[in-house]
Amino acid sequence: MEGDQTPRRASNSDARRNARARAADKFFSAPRDEAWRARYRAKDSKLAPRRLVQQKLDQKKAASERARAWNKAHAEQVRETQRRWREANADRVRAYGRASYAHRREQVAERGKADRDRNPEKYRQRHREWLSRNPGYSTEYGRKYRQDPDRYARMLESNRNAKRLAKRLATLGVLPREVVNAG
């Protein structure tokens, strides 16, 4: 009965062989596993700062959205808090305003000029109202200005030149206002 083979009974040597194989697997796979873990940790440590940065950005964005929603829901309270802060820190508010103006001086001047050009009558009326509220200011200012004879002489010369120019332009048929607005 050669074709009939009975299963071999596990011998002591098989158990030892299996134990050795398991030990070898463990021995040879442990460095592989450790190498894999080391590669993963290195890769993860490179990704960790990016992940942390992204998490912080997401947290800031969520906090900003929450704050925006709260501010919208409590607009009156926000205005009151800001008003109290401005009253308590008037010097800082002035400093912020000065710094902002210094940074954007040309833009502010351009915006003011455009508004005056759009509404000249409004500005003339505002000037008349100011003069009526401050009657002695312009006379006092003129008196102080004329105390310096050189400055006063320069002002008179400038006025004479302006009048000469206006007359010359009038004889040519060009209105002085058109020249000023064109330039």
Side-chain angles (χ1 to χ4, degrees):
M1 306 222 140
E2 247 177 75
D4 184 23
Q5 292 184 349
T6 57
R8 224 172 91 196
R9 190 173 61 103
S11 69
N12 203 12
S13 65
D14 286 339
R16 270 190 300 229
R17 190 179 312 119
N18 288 341
R20 252 187 266 134
R22 281 194 305 271
D25 283 348
K26 207 182 245 184
F27 176 79
F28 288 115
S29 69
R32 230 177 316 136
D33 289 350
E34 187 54 42
W36 181 84
R37 282 190 199 101
R39 280 197 310 273
Y40 179 78
R41 279 193 297 267
K43 184 177 175 186
D44 191 48
S45 69
K46 289 177 189 169
L47 295 177
R50 285 191 216 147
R51 202 174 302 126
L52 285 174
V53 166
Q54 189 59 46
Q55 284 174 349
K56 286 185 180 182
L57 286 174
D58 292 344
Q59 288 170 352
K60 279 185 176 182
K61 187 176 180 181
S64 176
E65 289 171 4
R66 281 193 310 272
R68 195 175 296 118
W70 190 92
N71 288 344
K72 190 174 182 181
H74 302 87
E76 187 57 40
Q77 188 176 346
V78 169
R79 276 193 294 274
E80 180 60 26
T81 303
Q82 289 173 345
R83 185 191 61 76
R84 281 196 314 264
W85 187 89
R86 282 193 304 271
E87 286 175 359
N89 298 286
D91 52 339
R92 289 174 72 180
V93 171
R94 265 193 306 279
Y96 290 149
R98 285 187 187 123
S100 173
Y101 177 76
H103 185 68
R104 305 176 302 110
R105 184 172 309 190
E106 292 82 21
Q107 294 166 338
V108 172
E110 188 61 36
R111 202 170 50 233
K113 183 179 181 303
D115 192 49
R116 281 190 301 277
D117 291 345
R118 272 194 307 272
N119 308 308
E121 187 52 42
K122 178 177 101 173
Y123 281 88
R124 274 189 223 105
Q125 180 61 31
R126 187 183 291 175
H127 181 67
R128 282 191 290 266
E129 289 170 3
W130 185 88
L131 285 174
S132 68
R133 284 193 313 270
N134 302 284
Y137 183 84
S138 58
T139 55
E140 184 60 31
Y141 179 79
R143 188 176 299 119
K144 283 183 183 176
Y145 193 85
R146 288 187 296 273
Q147 284 177 352
D148 182 3
D150 293 335
R151 180 198 256 177
Y152 186 54
R154 282 195 308 271
M155 182 191 65
L156 292 175
E157 182 63 30
S158 171
N159 287 344
R160 279 192 294 273
N161 290 338
K163 284 181 184 178
R164 279 188 208 125
L165 176 63
K167 277 184 187 177
R168 195 167 357 144
L169 291 174
T171 59
L172 293 174
V174 180
L175 295 176
R177 267 286 195 225
E178 293 173 354
V179 172
V180 171
N181 289 337

